[in-house]
Amino acid sequence: MPKDAAVEEFARLVRALKARDGRSYEALGRRLSVSASTLHRYCSGATVPEEFGVLDRLALLCGADEEERRALEAAWTRASAARRPPAPSPAPGSEPAPGTEPEPAARPAPGLKPGPAPEHELEPVHARVPGLPSERRRRRWGWAGLVGGALAVVAAVTLGAVLLPREAPAPAPAPLTWTVSSHLWSYGCGHTYLVERTPPPPPEAADARSWAAAQGAVHGGETLVRVSVQGKGAAAVVLQALHVRVVGREAPLPWAGYRMDDGCGGAVTPRRFEVDLDRPRPVARALDGYDASGQEGRTLPAVSFPYAVTAADPEELLVSARTAGCDCRWYLELEWSAEGRRGTVRIGDEDGAPFRTSGAKGRPLYGYDSVGRAWITGEESGQHG
């Protein structure tokens, strides 16, 4: 296979895995402990990794089966060989051709007497001048200078390697994985978005993310997030705590609010974590849920940390974050421990960016009139708040 074709085949397989996963370069690279630009170079064929380990982790993360992983390893092997520089060939004429013998020294012609022996080469004048070193001694001094210089260079390089700071090895990836849904609607139907300009009709709940992205919409008053967490293997990963980190606060957006429903409700209130983003240091407070669907209602106990997950036993964390007084950008941080290791993973939206929630208090609020096919105010529709 030509070199370019081998590299392109390798890049095609990596691109297919990345497309199957659906995450951004930054979000996927964070889980592989590589930068977004490095992962992009793998997908474009500009770079072939020196080791297969990072590609094997990518295949596992993207759900590749054993046959696909073997095909990826074979493509990586061919691409690595294509990118490896060729070994230098010996210069022509450096060795005699096989089977040839050196020519014998010329013999004097018969009958001729050998000429007189050559006189000894005269010693240079400067060698006989008192105080000047002989030629042999000057050669010895020259070799001593070369050896001393080489030793000085080796000592300087060794000292630099000891004194200069070394780059710390990349930490091992966390033994857990997660998926995020950040455009959930309360009870599957109730939600408010803030939009700068009048948007098209509200979407189905399943299409909320693409609709909001197309309109540049921001969650108004509340963001409802579901995080599904599971281990990567049979060993248990213990979830120790859930924290909230606000990374940006600004005044609430001056945009109008658009409700995705005309009011709805449900028989089941799921257990959840509630977050007040207006507090100086928001915390995730675990609350019980309630199931009123049967003849007798029952309480759904709140998630209690520590909590263990495995690949076969995942857990869903539902987070309701509210604000009335800020345009907040925030992350969730999940502490974990497993097999003698501890760590914290930062969880953002589906693209790895911070979640964003802006207060909607005092803003114009619109609902959609499906009969008149137009957005109307709460007063016009009889709905308030």
Side-chain angles (χ1 to χ4, degrees):
M1 178 180 294
K3 293 183 177 181
D4 292 343
V7 174
E8 176 54 33
E9 173 64 14
F10 161 76
R12 184 187 66 79
L13 293 178
V14 178
R15 287 196 300 270
L17 288 174
K18 195 267 179 190
R20 178 192 302 179
D21 183 79
R23 296 185 181 89
S24 65
Y25 286 104
E26 181 180 0
L28 194 55
R30 185 173 60 250
R31 302 194 182 185
L32 298 172
S33 298
V34 300
S35 65
S37 59
T38 298
L39 182 57
H40 185 271
R41 289 196 295 272
Y42 294 165
C43 290
S44 65
T47 302
V48 177
E50 294 184 359
E51 298 181 357
F52 182 68
V54 65
L55 299 173
D56 196 32
R57 295 199 301 274
L58 173 65
L60 289 173
L61 188 61
C62 297
D65 57 27
E66 188 65 26
E67 183 178 353
E68 290 174 314
R69 290 168 60 193
R70 286 198 298 268
L72 179 63
E73 184 173 9
W76 168 78
T77 301
R78 291 191 296 269
S80 297
R83 284 293 170 88
R84 189 178 302 120
S89 57
S94 57
E95 297 182 1
T100 60
E101 297 181 358
E103 296 183 0
R107 298 181 179 180
L112 294 180
K113 296 181 179 180
E119 298 181 0
H120 293 288
E121 184 178 355
L122 297 179
E123 187 178 6
V125 175
H126 63 75
R128 297 194 300 270
V129 177
L132 290 181
S134 66
E135 183 70 21
R136 182 178 302 174
R137 186 177 301 171
R138 287 191 295 110
R139 287 198 296 268
R140 286 202 303 268
W141 288 1
W143 278 108
L146 288 175
V147 173
L151 291 176
V153 170
V154 172
V157 171
T158 303
L159 184 61
V162 172
L163 296 181
L164 290 178
R166 298 183 179 180
E167 184 177 354
L176 54 84
T177 185
W178 65 92
T179 58
V180 176
S181 297
S182 64
H183 286 269
L184 301 182
W185 295 356
S186 181
Y187 301 107
C189 56
H191 196 68
T192 298
Y193 285 106
L194 298 179
V195 187
E196 187 173 14
R197 298 178 181 83
T198 303
E204 297 293 332
D207 301 326
R209 181 187 173 199
S210 58
W211 183 92
Q215 312 310 317
V218 175
H219 298 291
E222 179 188 23
T223 299
L224 200 59
V225 178
R226 181 174 59 234
V227 183
S228 300
V229 187
Q230 66 182 125
K232 292 181 178 178
V237 180
V238 179
L239 310 182
Q240 299 286 356
L242 183 67
H243 305 290
V244 180
R245 185 176 298 276
V246 177
V247 294
R249 288 183 186 273
E250 298 180 6
L253 294 169
W255 300 347
Y258 294 86
R259 293 182 60 87
M260 300 291 105
D261 67 293
D262 288 329
C264 59
V268 179
T269 300
R271 62 182 184 173
R272 64 203 180 279
F273 292 89
E274 284 199 348
V275 179
D276 183 358
L277 295 173
D278 292 329
R279 296 175 62 90
R281 299 182 65 179
V283 296
R285 192 161 55 96
L287 297 179
D288 293 336
Y290 190 78
D291 184 359
S293 60
Q295 292 182 353
E296 295 184 2
R298 64 187 183 94
T299 299
L300 306 176
V303 174
S304 177
F305 290 114
Y307 196 97
V309 297
T310 64
D313 187 16
E315 174 61 27
E316 284 193 349
L317 308 176
L318 186 65
V319 180
S320 171
R322 297 173 180 267
T323 178
C326 78
D327 175 9
C328 289
R329 289 174 171 82
W330 52 281
Y331 286 102
L332 294 171
E333 293 184 342
L334 185 61
E335 290 186 27
W336 59 268
S337 63
E339 299 181 321
R341 296 170 54 205
R342 302 181 66 89
T344 301
V345 294
R346 172 170 283 192
I347 300 173
D349 66 11
E350 291 85 345
D351 297 320
F355 304 109
R356 186 178 182 185
T357 315
S358 180
K361 185 177 181 180
R363 302 292 183 263
L365 190 62
Y366 293 87
Y368 190 73
D369 180 7
S370 57
V371 177
R373 297 182 180 274
W375 292 99
I376 58 177
T377 63
E379 289 75 10
E380 293 172 326
S381 64
Q383 297 287 335
H384 299 278

